[in-house]
Amino acid sequence: MIGQDHAARRYFFLHMMKTGGISLLWRLRRVFADQAIYPDHTDGDTLSDGPQISVPRLLQRWNDADRRDQIRLIAGHLPLCTLDLLAAEFHTFTLLRDPVDRTLSFLSHHRAHRPDLHELPLEGIYEDRFIQEHLLRDHMTKMLALSIEEMTDGLMTPVHLDSGHLRTAKDKLESLELFGFTDRMEEFCARLSDRYGWDLGAPIVSNQSGPVVAAEAFRRRIATDNALDMDLYQHALALAAPAT
């Protein structure tokens, strides 16, 4: 478990959907006790209460002094601006993924967990306007750039993202203490361990789907629809590139 010198610190893991965050969270459980992680079983049912995506639910639990004193790691699918509502100091980190691969992984996962969609091609699921607008389009930009004033429903907030949001997302990304990439997970875990003194142990693979096969035309369409995320991801890669 976490060392005494780190016991008073709090951490916010900006968990983007389908970026390998569940695998990372399992390793973080080697560092933090169950009750130190939000959400835990006392914070509500994942289906009926949605503590992993509900900002009001987090605030309700945070306003319980006993629960607040327990929490050392917030690891839900909660936009970064959520921190503005908590009035506490947090160390921040996130994982990013190629936007096309992230979208395809989401679609594949969604189909696998919905029996009524098992026979539907990924392109058909992608046509669902609700899924596109609330869960897919420029998801990483939204999670970083969404403001308190804009946020009405956490990550589900419908918002027209523009170049201003992209600039904000880039600034917010640079303000995080650490960020990494799904396809460089071990490198990121090593950096987390070096910075915070954690022992994350050996890799754990959880909630992972295999490579998703998709037509090149469909991949191009996803890239076009997620132009802000494509730009943000390239910016992140450039920031992470070793200096020459």
Side-chain angles (χ1 to χ4, degrees):
M1 293 299 173
I2 197 164
Q4 280 298 115
D5 57 333
H6 291 266
R9 296 185 182 182
R10 288 191 172 103
Y11 303 84
F12 187 89
F13 171 31
L14 178 58
H15 185 178
M16 314 280 197
M17 292 188 299
K18 303 309 296 178
T19 59
I22 296 297
S23 295
L24 176 58
L25 181 55
W26 276 110
R27 295 172 76 169
L28 289 168
R29 291 183 185 281
R30 293 167 168 162
V31 177
F32 295 91
D34 289 347
Q35 69 271 18
I37 300 175
Y38 177 90
D40 76 354
H41 71 281
T42 70
D43 297 317
D45 181 77
T46 56
L47 294 179
S48 60
D49 302 310
Q52 73 278 17
I53 63 171
S54 172
V55 174
R57 173 66 63 160
L58 169 61
L59 295 180
Q60 178 188 56
R61 300 297 285 147
W62 186 255
N63 289 331
D64 179 326
D66 290 337
R67 181 68 182 116
R68 182 173 63 247
D69 287 346
Q70 291 177 330
I71 294 172
R72 287 295 172 263
L73 170 67
I74 294 177
H77 298 300
L78 301 163
L80 185 62
C81 66
T82 304
L83 288 177
D84 296 339
L85 301 172
L86 301 182
E89 182 178 344
F90 284 84
H91 301 273
T92 54
F93 56 94
T94 195
L95 278 166
L96 304 172
R97 186 176 185 180
D98 173 88
V100 176
D101 291 339
R102 195 199 71 80
T103 298
L104 290 172
S105 179
F106 176 93
L107 294 172
S108 179
H109 179 84
H110 189 63
R111 181 172 64 182
H113 287 78
R114 285 275 303 273
D116 57 317
L117 301 178
H118 284 178
E119 303 304 318
L120 198 64
L122 297 184
E123 291 88 340
I125 301 172
Y126 188 70
E127 294 300 334
D128 187 313
R129 186 172 178 180
F130 180 89
I131 289 176
Q132 277 206 41
E133 293 185 356
H134 293 263
L135 295 169
L136 287 181
R137 184 162 292 171
D138 293 315
H139 171 73
M140 297 188 295
T141 300
K142 179 197 281 190
M143 291 290 279
L144 283 162
L146 196 67
S147 69
I148 290 296
E149 293 74 24
E150 292 172 316
M151 185 170 64
T152 58
D153 193 16
L155 71 85
M156 303 285 285
T157 298
V159 60
H160 174 69
L161 297 167
D162 56 25
S163 58
H165 290 96
L166 177 60
R167 288 193 296 272
T168 299
K170 289 179 179 180
D171 289 343
K172 293 292 187 180
L173 180 68
E174 294 183 36
S175 75
L176 298 180
E177 288 190 354
L178 289 174
F179 66 86
F181 304 96
T182 303
D183 60 355
R184 306 181 196 173
M185 180 67 81
E186 289 314 298
E187 173 189 312
F188 184 55
C189 286
R191 292 173 60 215
L192 286 171
S193 296
D194 287 345
R195 186 175 187 101
Y196 300 130
W198 296 342
D199 181 5
L200 296 176
I204 299 175
V205 177
S206 176
N207 203 30
Q208 184 182 59
S209 56
V212 181
V213 177
E216 190 58 37
F218 186 36
R219 295 182 68 91
R220 288 197 300 269
R221 179 185 174 192
I222 293 172
T224 299
D225 289 344
N226 292 272
L228 299 182
D229 267 9
M230 295 295 288
D231 193 320
L232 175 67
Y233 189 69
Q234 291 302 314
H235 180 70
L237 290 173
L239 290 174
T244 57

